[in-house]
Amino acid sequence: MAEEAPSAGLSRTHAGALLAVVYAAVLTSQVMMPKLFLFVWCGVLYAWVLLMTVWYVGCAKAPDAGKAKPAGSVVPDEGEGKRLLAAVRKPRMLYLDHFKTMLTMLVIAHHTACCYIGYGWYYVVGGYTNYFRAFGGAFTLIDQAYFMCVFFFVSGYFTPSSYDRKGKVLFLKDKYKRLGIPFLVWVGVVSQLLCLLAQPLASWPHMKYNPIPSAGQMWFVGWLLLYNHLYAVTDHSAPLALDFPQPWVLLAASAVLTAGSLGLMYSPMGTLLAYSPVSVGSCLFYPFFFYGGCAAKRNHWLDEATRHGLTAAASAHRGWMTAAVGVAVAGMFAYPLYWSHEHYVTFEEGARNQSTGPTLFPTTNWEYTLVMFVCCTLLTALMPLVQLDWFRRSFNASTELSQRLSAASYTAYIIHPFVSVASTAAFVQFYEAVTGHAVAFVPKTLRSETVLESEAWLWCGWAVSVLTVIPVTYLFAHVFREYVPGAKSIL
């Protein structure tokens, strides 16, 4: 009897089952005891990344190039991988680089909007019912419905080729170097430092250190590491032949996952799941988008020549998908603006009653829940296709500026909280100097509910901040990568 080839890792079925069990355990425990298990799972994720980073960056050795590979492995050795890549290398899809740059800028604009709607970021103002809060809340929800999903998809798309080129050990060594080190430094040190620096800006009498780690925007990096690691320990020797799902299949899946996401949002579990935000288009979607990106690479879904790929589907259904996305965006803006009109809080009312009015978008409001369900189902399923199709047709060329922006995007993603907080603090100082009215913060928080003289301050503040924060962040990111020794090898 022939000797059985040794296993190259978990089967795809077992890997999927393992991921499902982990999700079920985290979700169930956090719904039952939210405060305790949020702390527990955040700690588990941080400890995992710490141990794996120490091992793979500091200790693990890649196998010798000439060492025999396990039978059935599709991963070439280093020299063979370079020869194969040189032989089959295709022109780079430049529009994906531009797409990632746009998404990074959208993340910065998103978090800058949070600074002016009173929730969702490190240092915020405008925490009362007003039209800008309605606009900003809708804008951030529209973003949240799809943009981090697309980040996972694009990251997944580049994962198989990186894994095939490097092999398991080098692949994980590179991931824990480029993702693990920034995650550990930000969560363990920099995020707390940012909160400490922001406390005097919120009139805290004494600076107070918060020992509970906060991931901020770096939650994405931590979860991406988990998906990358699971991919690396899975056996990929068998071909993965899949056609891109039809849009109606994507809509059906999106409806199910959006309903689940809304259920989590209205459950006792809180707003975070092991650092990841609990919102529309969030944690339930991420593994599907990441592994969808991996499948896209293996099956050439983004190639124009692929008959049953993503590009072909986006082209064939472009008209009605674009119209559906437009309707969803309009619906997401319309209801919050209507709600704010009904419950508007003026400067005089705020000063007289010291009240910010009713909660914006209460979870008991079935009308808004229905709007979110319908609109976010459309946005999560279709917006990625519409935008990828648009960028492929319109932005598939490169310039020196676009290359520099693309290279600096990861660093900009990491450091932008400092720039957005500084911009908001400058806004507060300017408002107080011009109007003579103080902006008070809720005690022991970095959140202000002070009603401003005119909400035009919020509209103008956000607009000026976005136009300032994005270029300043990219400038700092470029300088940091160029002039800090060793930065380019990590960032």
Side-chain angles (χ1 to χ4, degrees), residues 271-418:
T271 59
L272 294 175
L273 179 73
Y275 297 126
S276 171
V278 176
S279 183
V280 293
S282 61
C283 52
L284 297 182
F285 287 89
Y286 297 149
F288 294 99
F289 272 85
F290 175 81
Y291 284 101
C294 297
K297 183 64 175 182
R298 292 294 189 199
N299 293 277
H300 311 288
W301 286 351
L302 298 187
D303 293 355
E304 295 186 27
T306 303
R307 291 184 56 192
H308 301 290
L310 185 153
T311 298
S315 299
H317 302 283
R318 182 179 301 145
W320 73 263
M321 289 197 306
T322 303
V325 166
V327 170
V329 169
M332 289 294 287
F333 279 117
Y335 190 88
L337 291 171
Y338 158 76
W339 178 268
S340 294
H341 177 73
E342 293 292 311
H343 303 282
Y344 195 85
V345 178
T346 66
F347 175 71
E348 292 76 14
E349 289 172 335
R352 181 172 63 251
N353 301 325
Q354 296 297 311
S355 171
T356 61
T359 302
L360 193 63
F361 319 147
T363 57
T364 55
N365 186 332
W366 68 268
E367 296 172 339
Y368 190 59
T369 300
L370 181 60
V371 170
M372 282 200 297
F373 171 73
V374 174
C375 294
C376 291
T377 293
L378 294 171
L379 289 170
T380 310
L382 304 181
M383 182 72 93
L385 302 184
V386 171
Q387 289 193 344
L388 279 168
D389 180 56
W390 179 46
F391 268 76
R392 177 186 62 83
R393 291 183 291 114
S394 305
F395 302 101
N396 201 22
S398 180
T399 65
E400 183 178 355
L401 176 60
S402 68
Q403 292 173 6
R404 290 182 182 273
L405 290 174
S406 177
S409 286
Y410 179 40
T411 308
Y413 179 88
I414 295 173
I415 69 172
H416 79 269
F418 280 96

Side-chain angles (χ1 to χ4, degrees), residues 92-307:
R92 185 175 180 86
M93 294 180 177
L94 298 173
Y95 72 91
L96 288 180
D97 293 333
H98 305 326
F99 193 44
K100 288 191 295 181
T101 300
M102 183 278 292
L103 289 173
T104 304
M105 292 182 178
L106 187 59
V107 167
I108 299 173
H110 174 101
H111 289 145
T112 306
C114 291
C115 294
Y116 291 90
I117 62 176
Y119 61 89
W121 203 228
Y122 290 94
Y123 180 84
V124 298
V125 298
Y128 58 95
T129 305
N130 59 77
Y131 289 124
F132 179 78
R133 196 182 197 210
F135 166 84
F139 171 71
T140 56
L141 275 174
I142 291 168
D143 296 342
Q144 187 64 55
Y146 80 95
F147 71 162
M148 298 312 298
C149 292
V150 183
F151 264 123
F152 279 109
F153 178 85
V154 174
S155 298
Y157 182 80
F158 290 109
T159 295
S161 56
S162 177
Y163 176 80
D164 291 349
R165 184 173 67 253
K166 298 174 182 177
K168 174 185 171 181
V169 174
L170 283 179
F171 173 79
L172 290 176
K173 194 179 187 71
D174 178 69
K175 291 302 178 184
Y176 281 102
K177 178 182 179 181
R178 299 193 70 249
L179 302 178
I181 292 175
F183 175 83
L184 294 170
V185 173
W186 181 273
V187 176
V189 179
V190 180
S191 183
Q192 278 75 8
L193 176 63
L194 177 58
C195 291
L196 284 172
L197 294 175
Q199 289 172 11
L201 303 175
S203 303
W204 284 37
H206 305 288
M207 296 172 67
K208 183 179 179 180
Y209 176 75
N210 182 4
I212 300 177
S214 171
Q217 78 288 0
M218 294 300 284
W219 69 266
F220 166 74
V221 175
W223 280 76
L224 181 58
L225 273 171
L226 290 182
Y227 298 146
N228 274 313
H229 199 117
L230 185 59
Y231 183 90
V233 297
T234 303
D235 181 5
H236 301 287
S237 58
L240 180 65
L242 292 172
D243 289 340
F244 183 75
Q246 291 297 312
W248 68 267
V249 176
L250 298 178
L251 286 169
S254 180
V256 172
L257 295 175
T258 299
S261 298
L262 290 171
L264 292 178
M265 288 171 63
Y266 299 161
S267 75
M269 72 177 300
T271 59
L272 294 175
L273 179 73
Y275 297 126
S276 171
V278 176
S279 183
V280 293
S282 61
C283 52
L284 297 182
F285 287 89
Y286 297 149
F288 294 99
F289 272 85
F290 175 81
Y291 284 101
C294 297
K297 183 64 175 182
R298 292 294 189 199
N299 293 277
H300 311 288
W301 286 351
L302 298 187
D303 293 355
E304 295 186 27
T306 303
R307 291 184 56 192

